[in-house]
Amino acid sequence: RQSTPTASAVVNLPSQTQLLAASSWSNLEETLEIESLRKTISIDSALDTSTPNFSTERPTLFRERHGWCPYSERVWLALELAGSNTEKVVKYDTIRIDNTGHGPRPSYFGGQTPQMRWPEGQTQGESMDLVKEIDRRYANDSLLSSDPDIQERIRQFSNIFPRARPSSRAAYLFQYNGEPIWKSTFEETLQKANDQLFDGSAPFMAGHDHPTAADIAYAPFLERYRYQLPCLHPGLDPTDASQYPHLARWYDAMDQIPVYGCRIKGDASSWRKVLTMAGFGNAGLPPSIQQNMQERIVWEEAQAEECIDQGLWERYQGNTAKSPYWDVATIITQNKAAIIKDTEKRMDTDASVLNDALVGLVTRLVEYEEGEDFPLYLEEEDMAITEQVAKIAAYLDERMCVPRDMGAMSASALKTVAVAMREVLPS
């Protein structure tokens, strides 16, 4: 596991840091090798509504743009697992669609997410139908979507999860009056899910040693339960091995799948923040869970380091950055103009100051090495800018949405940096 940055008050940093501290964005881009990064077609249609040139060689996935939709996650996960199961990368394009009703939608898309446009030109919907077709086309049926036992477990899904108000952001969580479902109902659901996983020594559905179509069906919803149930009811923990041993083992096994742990799954902070936007006519967050939310923020900061696994990171084929810290640096560098525009509006700070602070933040992310103290201060950096670095790190940590902006492991790296940089702020 990669160690968490510990605060260092030392200002005499190695020569590489001294060079980077005085660098421009072009220097940082060269260090991060931005130009050599693998390019993939990924369009946010709320920002770019023009009609793309659809590939006749690769499929195109239409998924919800924030990563909130669990049905979109099913298909995204199937595409990635199809490649890992066959040791061949499935190349596909992605177009992200606004499902909230507030953002623009492109004229070439109709209906709901997820959908796939296949290379032959036809379009198909319904998440588990898409999983089955992906399994047939790209996974050599390794997802076992046609296996009778797997099909039966998929059918049992509707009998396991409770009746609830429909929501992609808060699936199977709230009653129709806007209040959380009873704790006892959630406990019953978790026990049923635990029983589904009681089958042999292997951790996945039906006793398999790799994820199947049934695991894909359940994964997005159990992922949200993992982080959202503790926000609703104290002491309700789906990963508690003493209560749900098979479910806890399944969570651990899913976390060790590189593409899931590094890129696809959401994190505790994002799923907590999503609850505050749930709505349901009660102006957002139900008052009864406000205190739980504050307690979870403290927990999230304390456990962030546990999410950083450099070994798993290096196993993920989609990674182009050498560490989660470099991934954050790369994402900030690639999106610096949009970040400065957004931050200037919300932090009421001059754009030139924010630019210098972002350079300082990226410099620190690039310089940090496992086992070393985190560089709180850069030589020749004005203290006012150092404080702005701490502020913008905290702002980005709060603003970040996983997996919309980055993967869970990278978001944990950003959170550890934001926590470490607090030391430079006046008490």
Side-chain angles (χ1 to χ4, degrees):
R1 187 185 74 215
Q2 180 150 338
S3 59
T4 299
T6 54
S8 172
V10 177
V11 295
N12 295 319
L13 299 172
S15 57
Q16 181 186 358
T17 301
Q18 294 173 13
L19 173 64
L20 288 172
S23 69
S24 64
W25 282 115
S26 60
N27 298 126
L28 290 166
E29 288 170 0
E30 183 177 354
T31 301
L32 293 164
E33 299 180 333
I34 296 292
E35 288 302 315
S36 66
L37 295 180
R38 178 170 60 89
K39 301 294 192 300
T40 58
I41 298 176
S42 182
I43 299 170
D44 186 342
S45 66
L47 304 177
D48 179 3
T49 59
S50 61
T51 302
N53 293 319
F54 291 105
S55 173
T56 58
E57 298 177 352
R58 302 180 304 275
T60 300
L61 167 63
F62 296 92
R63 64 176 174 88
E64 185 270 324
R65 68 187 293 251
H66 295 291
W68 293 337
C69 171
Y71 305 99
S72 292
E73 184 178 339
R74 281 175 169 176
V75 183
W76 185 13
L77 182 57
L79 280 166
E80 293 289 346
L81 288 179
S84 62
N85 284 355
T86 58
E87 298 184 353
K88 290 172 59 179
V89 175
V90 178
K91 294 183 178 180
Y92 62 95
D93 298 331
T94 301
I95 297 178
R96 287 166 286 150
I97 302 293
D98 184 271
N99 267 0
T100 65
H102 301 295
R105 276 190 157 207
S107 59
Y108 57 81
F109 181 84
Q112 294 298 312
T113 57
Q115 293 183 29
M116 291 288 293
R117 179 188 170 99
W118 302 111
E120 310 85 73
Q122 76 269 30
T123 300
Q124 183 180 3
E126 295 297 331
S127 63
M128 293 312 297
D129 290 343
L130 292 173
V131 170
K132 189 172 185 177
E133 183 64 12
I134 290 167
D135 193 17
R136 185 187 70 82
R137 286 178 179 247
Y138 305 115
N140 295 330
D141 296 319
S142 64
L143 300 176
L144 305 175
S145 57
S146 298
D147 180 275
D149 192 7
I150 296 300
Q151 289 182 334
E152 177 58 28
R153 290 168 193 265
I154 294 171
R155 282 192 289 269
Q156 286 299 317
F157 179 93
S158 59
N159 296 326
I160 289 177
F161 285 87
R163 292 187 61 192
R165 184 156 187 163
S167 170
S168 64
R169 289 176 285 176
Y172 300 107
L173 292 179
F174 291 95
Q175 304 173 57
Y176 280 82
N177 63 6
E179 289 299 313
I181 290 171
W182 295 106
K183 184 177 182 179
S184 59
T185 302
F186 285 132
E187 290 171 334
E188 181 181 351
T189 297
L190 294 176
Q191 190 58 60
K192 289 179 180 178
N194 183 74
D195 293 343
Q196 279 279 58
L197 291 158
F198 177 54
D199 202 336
S201 59
F204 297 105
M205 289 279 188
H208 290 282
D209 60 2
H210 68 276
T212 69
D215 297 281
I216 290 170
Y218 285 75
F221 301 91
L222 291 176
E223 171 192 314
R224 287 150 180 77
Y225 266 26
R226 176 182 189 173
Y227 298 120
Q228 292 180 326
L229 293 193
C231 295
L232 303 182
H233 297 290
L236 186 57
D237 180 7
T239 66
D240 183 353
S242 67
Q243 296 291 322
Y244 316 109
H246 311 297
L247 184 55
R249 183 179 64 165
W250 181 87
Y251 279 122
D252 289 341
M254 286 296 297
D255 284 347
Q256 289 304 306
I257 297 171
V259 69
Y260 181 72
C262 294
R263 184 63 190 99
I264 293 179
K265 81 166 184 174
D267 68 346
S269 295
S270 294
W271 288 128
R272 169 184 53 80
K273 287 182 282 190
V274 162
L275 284 181
T276 69
M277 298 181 286
F280 307 122
N282 55 15
L285 188 64
S288 60
I289 63 175
Q290 289 277 12
Q291 182 178 351
N292 299 349
M293 292 292 201
Q294 293 303 314
E295 293 172 353
R296 294 297 291 178
I297 292 173
V298 175
W299 177 84
E300 290 159 14
E301 293 181 355
Q303 62 83 49
E305 67 173 303
E306 302 295 332
C307 297
I308 304 174
D309 182 338
Q310 184 64 26
L312 186 68
W313 181 265
E314 292 171 357
R315 286 166 48 205
Y316 172 39
Q317 297 178 9
N319 278 333
T320 50
K322 72 175 188 179
S323 75
Y325 295 93
W326 276 54
D327 191 49
V328 178
T330 299
I331 291 168
I332 291 174
T333 302
Q334 290 177 315
N335 297 280
K336 56 186 177 294
I339 291 173
I340 290 171
K341 182 178 179 180
D342 176 76
T343 311
E344 182 182 19
K345 177 175 60 178
R346 295 173 183 271
M347 290 181 60
D348 193 26
T349 305
D350 185 76
S352 63
V353 174
L354 294 172
N355 182 78
D356 291 345
L358 277 184
V359 168
L361 176 57
V362 171
T363 299
R364 288 164 168 85
L365 288 162
V366 168
E367 177 57 27
Y368 175 66
E369 295 287 348
E370 181 179 1
E372 295 182 358
D373 289 335
F374 185 76
L376 295 181
Y377 305 94
L378 298 183
E379 193 168 293
E380 299 182 3
E381 182 180 74
D382 186 87
M383 189 60 194
I385 295 299
T386 302
E387 292 180 4
Q388 285 297 327
V389 171
K391 292 177 181 179
I392 203 167
Y395 173 77
L396 291 176
D397 173 46
E398 178 59 28
R399 188 90 166 113
M400 193 62 58
C401 178
V402 178
R404 180 190 66 192
D405 303 310
M406 62 180 66
M409 202 178 297
S410 301
S412 291
L414 176 60
K415 186 179 291 294
T416 61
V417 170
V419 172
M421 287 298 297
R422 287 178 190 163
E423 187 172 317
V424 309
L425 296 172
S427 56

